[in-house]
């Protein structure tokens, strides 16, 4: 199922930005559950209820994403159309639920994915997991750590920053910094400041206000709060690319070669992944874009591609 972009929408930046801004899609009928985490936080899970006994598709969203993200709504609509169950599992501080703890979420957070999947597997006999962008990195780290014991029968990672050091070269300079990093900082920094107000002395408020790049933010907030020390240590240890040989569950790794978040040179070769991993690197698609059709475009290619891969592994 090859991806072909519409003629009117060309380039990685256009493919990345346009679907989120221009493609209108109502949310499916979500049913929200609030779960208390083992360490005293709370997360929101938005479910789409399917037929009794049908499989579950779990979506782990991207950095500062939610069940309202365009890709989340598109996938959950496609899941519901099959009569399956779906859920968008929000990370800490996302989906409108406050996070009272210093610990948030990060690209290598396999522990949070593990806990969520363990709880869901007690309710659904068959499940698949999809991770988008940062959520894809978290999911791949989990799959690599668990190997053959991983709970999903199948998985997919979309536009994951497989090499976080290489991704930093795109997001902390030039157009990437101007378009995307500033957008993420507009939500990350207020959340970090709120955490600082709850936990005085957690980090330097002046440095937080002055942070303009991911290396500045991750060096100050993400890395030390989650045990990595420095941004470079965090990016190196949390990158999923070196761990793809350890994945044992059928897993699709889908990245556009013109993704503005990750240089094409950082994409893995077939020799760098296990036999369970399917690599799909279309030339176009941007970062979680993959729009198709006449103006203003459609975003149904991505959920169709994901479910096409997942479905054979969820048979009774």
């Amino acid at each position: 199922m090859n991806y072909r972009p519409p003629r009117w929408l060309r380039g990685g930046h256009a493919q990345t930005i346009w679907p989120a801004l221009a493609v209108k899609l109502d949310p499916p009928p979500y049913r929200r559950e609030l779960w208390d985490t083992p360490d005293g936080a709370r997360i929101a899970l938005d479910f789409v209820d399917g037929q009794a006994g049908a499989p579950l598709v779990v979506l782990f969203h991207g950095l500062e994403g939610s069940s309202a993200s365009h890709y989340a709504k598109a996938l959950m609509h496609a899941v519901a159309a099959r009569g399956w169950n779906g859920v968008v599992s929000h990370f800490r501080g996302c989906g409108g639920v406050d996070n009272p703890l210093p610990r948030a979420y990060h690209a290598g957070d396999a522990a949070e994915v593990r806990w969520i999947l363990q709880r869901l597997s007690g309710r659904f006999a068959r499940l698949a997991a999809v991770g988008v962008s940062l959520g894809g990195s978290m999911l791949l780290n989990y799959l690599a750590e668990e190997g053959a014991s991983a709970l999903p029968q199948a998985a997919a990672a979309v536009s994951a920053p497989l090499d976080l050091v290489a991704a930093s070269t795109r997001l902390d300079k030039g157009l990437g910094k101007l378009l995307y990093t500033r957008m993420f900082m507009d939500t990350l920094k207020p959340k970090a400041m709120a955490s600082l107000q709850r936990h005085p002395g957690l980090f330097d408020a002046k440095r937080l206000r002055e942070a303009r790049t991911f290396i500045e933010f991750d060096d100050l907030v993400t890395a030390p709060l989650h045990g990595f020390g420095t941004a470079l240590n965090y990016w190196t240890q949390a990158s999923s690319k070196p761990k793809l040989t350890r994945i044992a569950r059928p897993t699709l790794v889908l990245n556009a070669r013109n993704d503005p978040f990750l240089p094409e040179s950082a994409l893995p070769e077939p020799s760098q992944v296990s036999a369970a991993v399917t690599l799909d690197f279309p030339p176009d698609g941007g970062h979680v874009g993959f729009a198709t059709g006449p103006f203003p475009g459609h975003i149904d290619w991505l959920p169709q591609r994901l479910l096409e891969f997942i479905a054979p592994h969820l048979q009774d």
Side-chain angles (χ1 to χ4, degrees), residues 70-316:
H70 68 280
Y71 55 81
K73 293 186 290 185
L75 179 59
M76 291 298 111
H77 274 297
V79 167
R82 287 177 174 249
W84 291 0
N85 301 285
V87 62
V88 181
S89 180
H90 293 90
F91 298 124
R92 298 167 187 235
C94 298
V97 177
D98 197 25
N99 177 25
L101 302 180
R103 183 210 194 288
Y105 64 101
H106 59 84
D109 201 354
E112 193 83 337
V113 171
R114 180 179 297 106
W115 170 72
I116 292 166
L117 290 177
Q118 285 174 342
R119 185 161 172 177
L120 289 169
S121 67
R123 293 163 55 176
F124 298 91
R126 293 174 293 153
L127 65 86
V130 175
V132 171
S133 194
L134 194 79
S137 177
M138 296 167 71
L139 177 60
L140 291 172
N141 272 278
Y142 161 79
L143 293 168
E145 287 188 13
E146 293 295 312
S149 299
L151 292 170
Q153 278 77 55
V158 180
S159 301
L162 304 168
D163 182 334
L164 291 164
V165 176
S168 73
T169 66
R170 288 292 183 89
L171 292 174
D172 275 355
K173 60 183 66 173
L175 198 55
K177 179 182 177 182
L178 178 66
L179 290 177
Y180 309 117
T181 301
R182 185 172 64 178
M183 175 186 67
F184 287 128
M185 291 299 156
D186 284 346
T187 59
L188 288 170
K189 289 170 65 174
K191 287 183 179 180
M193 190 61 73
S195 184
L196 182 61
Q197 291 172 350
R198 289 193 191 93
H199 308 280
L202 201 59
F203 42 77
D204 189 308
K206 181 175 182 293
R207 285 183 62 194
L208 176 63
R209 286 191 292 267
E210 293 174 350
R212 297 291 184 271
T213 63
F214 272 106
I215 192 167
E216 291 171 336
F217 184 86
D218 287 343
D219 233 9
L220 177 67
V221 180
T222 313
L225 287 187
H226 299 101
F228 296 101
T230 67
L232 186 57
N233 283 343
Y234 162 46
W235 296 342
T236 302
Q237 294 176 41
S239 289
S240 56
K241 181 180 174 181
K243 307 166 190 173
L244 297 177
T245 55
R246 293 154 47 189
I247 292 177
R249 291 293 193 182
T251 299
L252 174 68
V253 175
L254 175 63
N255 288 71
R257 293 184 181 274
N258 70 343
D259 187 335
F261 286 28
L262 186 71
E264 182 179 355
S265 60
L267 295 174
E269 299 291 336
S271 61
Q272 295 176 299
V273 305
S274 75
V277 174
T278 298
L279 300 177
D280 189 355
F281 301 146
D284 299 288
H287 187 76
V288 205
F290 302 105
T292 60
F295 183 89
H298 306 284
I299 51 174
D300 53 358
W301 181 89
L302 180 57
Q304 289 175 13
R305 176 69 181 100
L306 295 173
L307 296 184
E308 173 194 65
F309 178 83
I310 288 168
H313 304 288
L314 295 178
Q315 302 298 326
D316 290 319

